[in-house]
Amino acid sequence: MDLSTTTQIILQNIPVFMRPTPEDGQKLRQYNEFFTRYQSAVITGFYDLIYSDVAAHAHITGMTRQQREMILHEWYRVTMSAQFDDLYWNWQALMGIIRVKHNVPNSAVLSMWSWIMSFLQERLLEEYPPAEAQAVIHILHKLHATVCGLIIESFIVTRQEAITRASGLNDRILGRLVNIEIDQLVKQGQTLVAEQTQLKMAAAA
C-alpha cells in the first residue's frame, strides 16, 4: 500500500467533525504571531522533558539534541502554518512509518503531543478572552486527534505489512493468529482483574 492510499484510508476512519477544515486552517493562521512567539519555548521545553526522563531519552539515539531541535522547529513551523492539505497529511503519516525503524513507542508520541497541547492551551487562556481561546483550542484538539491518528495508524499498518511480507502469511491467516493471541491476553487480563478485585474485597472486609 502506498503512502497516499494509507493516509487517505486513515483519514476516512477519523470522524469528519474531528478533522481540521480549510476554514480551521485559516482561523489558526490569524494567530500566527502567537504560535511563532512560543515556538522556541515549545521546542526547548519539549526536549528538556525528553532529556530529563530516562525512559524517553532511551528512544532518541543517533542524533544530537541540536539536530533534533531543528527537526522539531521545522515540524512546528509547518504545522502551525495550518496548511491542512494532502501533502501535510502524507507527511504526518510518513512520521509514523519512520518511527517503525527507530522503535519510538506510540505512548511516547501521544504523551509529548499532549504536552505541546497543554503548553499552548494554557497560554491561549492567559492571553485571550475565554470564548476566543476556546475556539482556537478546539481547532488544536482536532489537529491533535488527526495527526496522532495518522502517526499511530501508519505505524501499525507499516509494521503489519512488514510482518506479512517477512512471514509470507496472508492477511487472513495473520489475522487469525493475532485474534488467538488477543483472546489469550483478554483471558489473562480478566483473571488478573478478578484476582485483584478479590484481594481488595478481602482487605476491606
Side-chain angles (χ1 to χ4, degrees), residues 4 8 10 24 31 53 61 79 83 97 113 135 141 147-148 174 192:
S4 294
Q8 289 305 311
I10 296 170
D24 290 332
Y31 295 85
D53 185 278
T61 58
T79 295
Q83 299 291 342
I97 294 172
W113 230 115
H141 278 294
V147 170
C148 284
L174 186 60
L192 178 61

Side-chain angles (χ1 to χ4, degrees), residues 3-19:
L3 178 63
S4 294
T5 301
T6 299
T7 302
Q8 289 305 311
I9 290 174
I10 296 170
L11 285 174
Q12 290 167 12
N13 288 331
I14 298 171
V16 66
F17 58 83
M18 285 305 294
R19 286 183 245 155

Side-chain angles (χ1 to χ4, degrees), residues 157-171 174-175:
V157 169
T158 302
R159 289 195 69 174
Q160 183 172 330
E161 286 201 358
I163 292 170
T164 299
R165 292 180 183 181
S167 66
L169 300 174
N170 62 42
D171 289 342
L174 186 60

Side-chain angles (χ1 to χ4, degrees), residues 31-196:
Y31 295 85
N32 180 66
E33 186 277 332
F34 169 86
F35 291 118
T36 301
R37 177 157 37 93
Y38 283 110
Q39 178 170 339
S40 292
V42 168
I43 276 66
T44 300
F46 184 98
Y47 277 109
D48 281 350
L49 289 172
I50 290 291
Y51 279 87
S52 67
D53 185 278
V54 175
H57 192 188
H59 294 292
I60 54 171
T61 58
M63 283 193 288
T64 65
R65 172 166 176 163
Q66 183 179 14
Q67 290 172 319
R68 292 185 179 280
E69 287 189 356
M70 289 175 61
I71 293 171
L72 187 56
H73 266 291
E74 181 64 10
W75 176 87
Y76 182 95
R77 183 190 66 79
V78 174
T79 295
M80 295 312 168
S81 70
Q83 299 291 342
F84 302 136
D85 54 16
D86 287 345
L87 178 60
Y88 176 74
W89 300 131
N90 284 341
W91 183 40
Q92 299 312 298
L94 180 61
M95 289 177 60
I97 294 172
I98 291 172
R99 283 193 310 105
V100 176
K101 183 176 181 179
H102 294 284
N103 200 32
V104 179
N106 292 331
S107 53
V109 174
L110 291 173
S111 58
M112 291 312 297
W113 230 115
S114 294
W115 179 85
I116 294 174
M117 286 289 297
S118 295
F119 181 98
L120 295 173
Q121 180 173 306
E122 288 174 6
R123 284 149 186 81
L124 283 165
L125 290 169
E126 288 173 356
E127 298 185 23
Y128 296 98
E132 183 179 357
Q134 287 295 346
V136 178
I137 290 168
H138 177 66
I139 297 172
L140 290 177
H141 278 294
K142 292 167 70 174
L143 176 62
H144 173 252
T146 302
V147 170
C148 284
L150 285 166
I151 291 175
I152 302 306
E153 285 296 316
S154 62
F155 177 93
I156 294 171
V157 169
T158 302
R159 289 195 69 174
Q160 183 172 330
E161 286 201 358
I163 292 170
T164 299
R165 292 180 183 181
S167 66
L169 300 174
N170 62 42
D171 289 342
R172 183 180 299 177
I173 295 174
L174 186 60
R176 287 178 183 173
L177 294 174
V178 170
N179 284 335
I180 290 171
E181 185 63 23
I182 289 174
D183 287 342
Q184 292 176 346
L185 291 172
V186 168
K187 289 179 181 178
Q188 292 173 11
Q190 290 172 334
T191 300
L192 178 61
V193 170
E195 290 175 350
Q196 290 179 339

